[in-house]
Amino acid sequence: MPPVAAVPPHPTVLALAGPTGSGKTELGIALAQRLGAEIVNADSRQIFRGLDIGSAKPTLEQRAVVPHHLFDVVAPDQPFDVARYRALALAAVADITRRGRRVLLVGGTGLYLKVLRGGLFEGPPRNPALRQELSAVEDAEAGALHRRLQQVDSAAAARLHPNDRLRLIRALEVFAATGRRLSQWQAEHRFGSRDLELRTIALAVPRDELYRRIDRRCAAMLAAGMIDEVAGLLAAGYDPQLPAMRSTGYGEITDYLLGRCTLAEASERMARATRQLAKRQLTWFRNDPTTRWCQPELEALVEASS
């Protein structure tokens, strides 16, 4: 596991979280300006270079307003896991706080925030041969890994999306190496490390309004050139089965470009998948008793941050 950076004493680190489409990017920038903070990414897709429009990544103009960290870290075909995220994020937090600035994590990947606050258990090392074998199983039959995990670790399967190949493989790898379920290891560890104090504020948007926002944003992404973005990734040689290329939005547009569905079908599937992602994020943060919900208004966020 990567070494953990020592975080110097500093006021509690803030995280602005919540479901996709709730307005985190714009409000995060405005809040960072008010607090004298720098933004650290907490979105698993915005880590990847080239996944810009479809991940709703802050634009270069937005990133110029306040310093942003941990965006465009790796290419879509490079492995990236929560352990690496935690190491890089803690290093960014340590650097920012040493310079006397506040830290604002912004993103909807609840697992990133959970391991950043609570750490990870020391799991078995990677098994490249097993990983290759499992990946081939998924290539041959989509959804096979999720079904296999349901048989050996239903608790882990319940919280993982069937398309989340990397985490499905890791859960099966842990079971194969130890004979124990990943969910058991995590329950015993209980994310009990406390390398920093983290306060999570989630944006509360009514479900109907959130879904309307998502539908509008998906349409805006297509109008802004997302099809060309995905076509460029495919032309650059990125495998359509990569987890990044199968992530929400990208998988649907990839299928359209490969002739597997019409544009209208891809557009509808993209919006539906994004709404499903938002539902999972809402469930995650509602199940976290440390999360404080706040109206998506700057003054309310400033008050909640004090």
Side-chain angles (χ1 to χ4, degrees):
M1 185 175 296
V4 172
V7 179
H10 196 272
T12 300
V13 171
L14 295 171
L16 182 61
T20 185
S22 56
K24 295 184 296 294
T25 297
E26 293 79 5
L27 283 168
I29 292 171
L31 182 60
Q33 288 180 291
R34 288 285 292 271
L35 299 179
E38 299 185 13
I39 290 174
V40 177
N41 175 36
D43 183 291
S44 61
R45 292 191 304 163
Q46 294 177 355
I47 289 289
F48 293 104
R49 292 192 292 273
L51 274 65
D52 300 330
I53 298 172
S55 71
K57 189 181 296 178
T59 65
L60 294 178
E61 292 76 15
Q62 288 175 314
R63 283 183 257 178
V65 176
V66 297
H68 283 62
H69 304 265
L70 298 194
F71 294 86
D72 303 321
V73 176
V74 295
D77 60 350
Q78 292 179 293
F80 192 90
D81 57 23
V82 293
R84 186 174 178 193
Y85 172 78
R86 184 171 187 270
L88 292 175
L90 285 176
V93 170
D95 172 63
I96 295 166
T97 54
R98 286 194 193 100
R99 292 187 279 103
R101 302 275 289 174
R102 294 195 70 177
V103 178
L104 179 64
L105 292 144
V106 178
T109 302
L111 182 60
Y112 276 9
L113 298 178
K114 187 171 185 176
V115 301
L116 185 57
R117 180 178 59 218
L120 287 165
F121 80 95
E122 292 285 350
R126 295 183 180 186
N127 183 332
L130 177 60
R131 286 180 167 233
Q132 186 174 8
E133 176 187 332
L134 291 172
S135 190
V137 168
E138 186 69 12
D139 287 342
E141 184 181 357
L145 293 185
H146 193 260
R147 289 190 294 273
R148 184 177 295 189
L149 185 61
Q150 285 177 322
Q151 295 174 356
V152 299
D153 189 350
S154 59
R159 65 175 177 78
L160 293 177
H161 191 277
N163 291 340
D164 195 346
R165 184 182 300 209
L166 285 179
R167 294 191 180 99
L168 291 169
I169 287 176
R170 180 55 178 167
L172 291 166
E173 181 180 52
V174 168
F175 182 78
T178 68
R180 302 184 67 208
R181 300 186 298 272
L182 176 64
S183 58
Q184 286 180 290
W185 287 107
Q186 292 175 334
E188 290 176 5
H189 177 268
R190 300 187 182 209
F191 296 91
S193 301
R194 285 296 179 267
D195 293 302
L196 54 76
E197 291 299 321
L198 180 65
R199 180 193 302 169
T200 302
I201 302 170
L203 297 178
V205 179
R207 183 76 62 95
D208 290 347
E209 172 60 22
L210 178 65
Y211 285 178
R212 285 193 291 270
R213 290 189 187 191
I214 286 171
D215 289 345
R216 290 195 298 268
R217 190 170 75 164
C218 287
M221 286 176 172
L222 295 177
M226 186 178 173
I227 294 173
D228 289 340
E229 177 174 282
V230 178
L233 292 167
L234 294 171
Y238 291 115
D239 188 334
Q241 296 305 316
L242 286 168
M245 297 294 291
R246 298 309 306 170
S247 64
T248 304
Y250 287 91
E252 291 76 21
I253 299 305
T254 294
D255 286 345
Y256 160 66
L257 290 171
L258 295 179
R260 297 170 179 167
C261 63
T262 66
L263 179 56
E265 290 169 338
S267 176
E268 171 54 32
R269 286 169 48 198
M270 175 181 170
R272 182 169 64 249
T274 306
R275 293 192 296 269
Q276 291 169 344
L277 170 61
K279 183 177 179 181
R280 293 194 300 274
Q281 291 171 318
L282 284 168
T283 299
W284 177 286
F285 290 112
R286 284 173 178 163
N287 287 338
D288 181 356
T290 68
T291 298
R292 177 176 179 180
W293 292 88
C294 185
Q295 293 300 310
E297 300 168 356
L298 179 58
E299 295 307 321
L301 290 170
V302 171
E303 182 179 351
S305 302
S306 61

